[in-house]
Amino acid sequence: MADSKREVERKYEATPETRLPDLTRAAGVSAVVHRGLTELDAVYYDTEDFRLAAGSLTLRRRTGGDDAGWHLKIPVSAGIRDEIQAPLTDDLPPDLTGLLRSRVRNTAVSPVVRILSARDIHHLLDEDGVLLAELSIDEVLAERLTEEGHGTTSAWTEMEVELADDGDPAVLDAVERRLLKAGVLPSAAPSKLARALAETDPEKPRQTKKRASPHDAGGHVLAYVHRQITAVIELDPAVRRDLPDSVHRMRVATRRLRSAFRTYRKILDRAVTDPLRDELKWLAAELGVDRDQEVLDERLRSRVAGLPDILVLGPVSARLQLSRVAGSTGARRRVVSALDGDRYLALLESLDALLADPPLRPDAARNPGDVLPRAVLKDYERLATRIGHALEQPPGHDRDLAMHEARKAAKRVRYAGEAARPALGKPAKKFAKKMKAVQSVLGDHQDSVVARDALRTLASQAHGAGESAFTWGLLYGQEEAAAADRERELPEVWARASEPGLRAALKG
């Protein structure tokens, strides 16, 4: 079973003659304890076209030290990576294979670089002897591995300072100030592998160069599409690891893609994008099972927590827990199964193909200030029609359905405004913000509709088990009142969002 930890470190240039300054003068550091020398032997793996390196991921099999095994490092932000560790085996463990799937697809990974490190380790301790950070000076020898065997080599010395688990990042700042004052400079390479690849063969990895941002409408839409596709691929490992909010963020990326394909169909050919929209809708539905259950659970638990104890009759929390476990367990298996399936891989390949050979229509070559506002405002008109229809309905089932349809339209027009923002600037930003406010009101209303359905089911189950259904009825009444509040709020929010000046600003 793979284990995960958050790695927070900083790298510095060094030479064999580099000497550590007195780091006990760094704030918080009371002692520097030499822990000796260890030998590390790591073989790094990647695809033939270096897909992992292109995404700043590293996969290695390492012996030596106290953490021998397979290590997959996934970037989080500058200087911060998640390191997933698996036991030392001859073959790549299945737990890591799944985390690589969105990157490598069906392409095999093989050894690309071997790195030998002689690591001189020092522990930085506080006044109570608690570990704050580990500093190491590494003498590194890197060797490119080829199909023919051994390749070119490179050698260097570097310094790493890695924060202890649950440590305060301020320690790294304090240590860095002492190192910089002593003339030790930050490393230009983000990792040993990146430096090894650059120094042993400057022609590799052959990473795809970023597309220059063109000034036409097609370039702006493609840049937005590219960001969403990248988000889907990068969030895949996080969803598999069940990290907080990962399913929601991946689902949003699929929705933004679908929205862009539909809104900007005068820029991207529907013959290509419509089948992709269908597949993205399928993926969003698979992800939605887990996410919708999570949102519902959070809402109901919050409602119960807000009740006085005297109004909570029967095993309310226990029944909620049973409902959550029953719903989330099946949903979790379904999501992972979808990500492991051939249909998902085919979708990723199709999205890559779209970026490689964009199906541009004539309007793509036009000025974005002319093309994008028309597309956004067309979505706005659809939303206005649905809002008007919803407000005409009497309270009840028909209004609930109408407001749900309006919610979907509001989400689409908001995404359209966000996609146009790099080209249209502040007017698009303000427009999207107003649409988000409308979406929020409609979204909370729909969440109340879903919650009331769930509460009816829970009340029925409680009654059938001989429990009091009083609390469930009380919560139902609260949700009914919340929905009524949103219905009263909508006209005012929509009035602010539908000001003529807001739309006129989009047109310049």
Side-chain angles (χ1 to χ4, degrees):
M1 181 63 67
D3 297 319
S4 177
K5 70 172 185 176
R6 179 62 54 89
E7 178 186 80
V8 184
E9 68 176 15
R10 298 182 187 177
K11 291 181 176 290
Y12 303 89
E13 301 287 350
T15 70
E17 291 73 36
T18 297
R19 296 293 178 267
L20 287 178
D22 181 6
L23 294 179
T24 59
R25 298 181 65 183
V29 179
S30 295
V32 179
V33 179
H34 186 218
R35 305 298 295 178
L37 190 71
T38 188
E39 301 287 339
L40 304 174
D41 185 348
V43 175
Y44 287 78
Y45 288 71
D46 208 330
T47 61
E48 185 178 3
D49 54 355
F50 292 91
R51 297 181 189 181
L52 298 183
S56 300
L57 278 73
T58 60
L59 172 67
R60 72 187 178 201
R61 182 185 184 275
R62 190 168 78 181
T63 58
D66 57 4
D67 63 348
W70 288 89
H71 303 162
L72 172 62
K73 296 189 179 185
I74 301 175
V76 176
S77 58
I80 302 177
R81 296 186 291 183
D82 279 345
E83 182 178 290
I84 299 94
Q85 302 178 353
L88 189 63
T89 56
D90 290 337
D91 299 321
L92 180 63
D95 287 345
L96 299 188
T97 301
L99 298 179
L100 300 174
R101 188 170 172 82
S102 68
R103 305 277 186 170
V104 305
R105 318 288 166 76
N106 288 319
T107 305
V109 295
S110 58
V112 293
V113 170
R114 183 183 184 188
I115 295 181
L116 304 176
S117 303
R119 173 164 290 181
D120 194 16
I121 301 172
H122 302 74
H123 282 181
L124 311 185
L125 310 177
D126 68 9
E127 59 184 0
D128 297 320
V130 175
L131 179 66
L132 299 173
E134 180 177 285
L135 183 148
S136 63
I137 301 176
D138 293 352
E139 297 287 344
V140 182
L141 174 64
E143 179 183 29
R144 173 62 64 88
L145 303 177
T146 66
E147 292 182 0
E148 293 74 26
H150 302 293
T152 55
T153 62
S154 178
W156 68 88
T157 303
E158 69 178 35
M159 183 185 299
E160 294 181 359
V161 184
E162 182 175 344
L163 192 66
D165 293 344
D166 300 321
D168 184 354
V171 171
L172 296 183
D173 295 333
V175 170
E176 182 167 282
R177 285 192 289 269
R178 300 306 306 170
L179 293 175
L180 294 177
K181 190 172 183 179
V184 178
L185 300 177
S187 174
S191 67
K192 286 184 175 66
L193 177 62
R195 182 165 183 172
L197 290 172
E199 294 190 3
T200 58
D201 188 346
E203 297 301 318
K204 294 184 178 181
R206 295 188 178 92
Q207 299 182 19
T208 302
K209 293 182 179 180
K210 292 183 178 180
R211 186 190 303 270
S213 298
H215 298 292
D216 57 32
H220 282 283
V221 172
L222 283 174
Y224 180 80
V225 167
H226 184 273
R227 288 194 296 272
Q228 307 316 316
I229 293 174
T230 299
V232 171
I233 293 170
E234 292 183 346
L235 285 166
D236 177 294
V239 170
R240 293 174 186 273
R241 295 167 60 202
D242 201 19
L243 296 186
D245 207 35
S246 58
V247 169
H248 172 63
R249 291 166 60 203
M250 188 174 185
R251 191 184 185 194
V252 167
T254 66
R255 285 174 166 171
R256 284 178 169 149
L257 274 172
R258 289 175 58 215
S259 177
F261 290 156
R262 186 168 181 177
T263 298
Y264 298 109
R265 51 192 169 187
K266 288 188 177 294
I267 293 174
L268 297 175
D269 191 346
R270 289 186 61 183
V272 175
T273 60
D274 278 0
L276 289 175
R277 288 184 59 244
D278 291 340
E279 291 304 285
L280 288 165
K281 183 177 182 179
W282 159 78
L283 179 58
E286 297 297 310
L287 295 167
V289 175
D290 196 13
R291 174 60 181 171
D292 291 345
Q293 179 64 39
E294 180 183 350
V295 170
L296 175 62
D297 178 60
E298 290 176 357
R299 188 178 183 98
L300 296 185
R301 283 192 293 111
S302 176
R303 289 288 191 200
V304 172
L307 292 176
D309 291 344
I310 195 173
L311 298 181
V312 181
L313 305 183
V316 171
S317 295
R319 184 160 291 284
L320 268 181
Q321 177 71 6
L322 285 173
S323 175
R324 183 191 68 81
V325 171
S328 62
T329 301
R332 177 82 191 137
R333 286 196 300 266
R334 180 170 172 176
V335 168
V336 175
S337 177
L339 298 185
D340 283 339
D342 291 339
R343 185 175 182 178
Y344 172 64
L345 285 191
L347 171 58
L348 295 182
E349 294 288 348
S350 296
L351 292 172
D352 282 351
L354 178 138
L355 292 176
D357 185 16
L360 298 176
R361 299 189 65 198
D363 274 7
R366 297 182 60 187
N367 188 314
D370 296 330
V371 178
L372 302 189
R374 286 207 307 271
V376 174
L377 293 177
K378 186 174 181 180
D379 282 350
Y380 166 85
E381 294 300 333
R382 180 182 294 103
L383 171 61
T385 299
R386 293 188 181 182
I387 291 283
H389 177 66
L391 294 177
E392 291 172 355
Q393 304 304 309
H397 179 69
D398 288 345
R399 175 177 280 191
D400 290 346
L401 290 178
M403 291 187 72
H404 182 45
E405 291 302 312
R407 177 199 185 189
K408 291 188 287 186
K411 189 176 298 183
R412 178 175 160 187
V413 72
R414 170 198 166 188
Y415 292 158
E418 290 174 348
R421 179 181 170 186
L424 305 182
K426 289 184 179 180
K429 178 182 179 181
K430 185 176 181 180
F431 179 85
K433 184 177 180 180
K434 294 291 186 181
M435 295 305 115
K436 183 178 179 180
V438 175
Q439 178 193 332
S440 295
V441 171
L442 294 167
D444 193 57
H445 182 276
Q446 176 61 18
D447 287 346
S448 175
V449 172
V450 173
R452 279 179 278 160
D453 286 342
L455 287 166
R456 278 193 295 268
T457 299
L458 288 165
S460 178
Q461 291 172 347
H463 178 74
E467 302 163 6
S468 171
F470 170 81
T471 301
W472 305 115
L474 181 62
L475 294 177
Y476 186 97
Q478 288 185 346
E479 289 292 354
E480 203 168 40
D485 288 342
R486 300 293 81 76
E487 291 172 12
R488 285 190 293 270
E489 185 181 356
L490 179 60
E492 182 179 347
V493 174
W494 174 242
R496 291 195 295 267
S498 57
E499 294 174 356
L502 198 64
R503 303 194 297 282
L506 279 181
K507 300 177 183 179

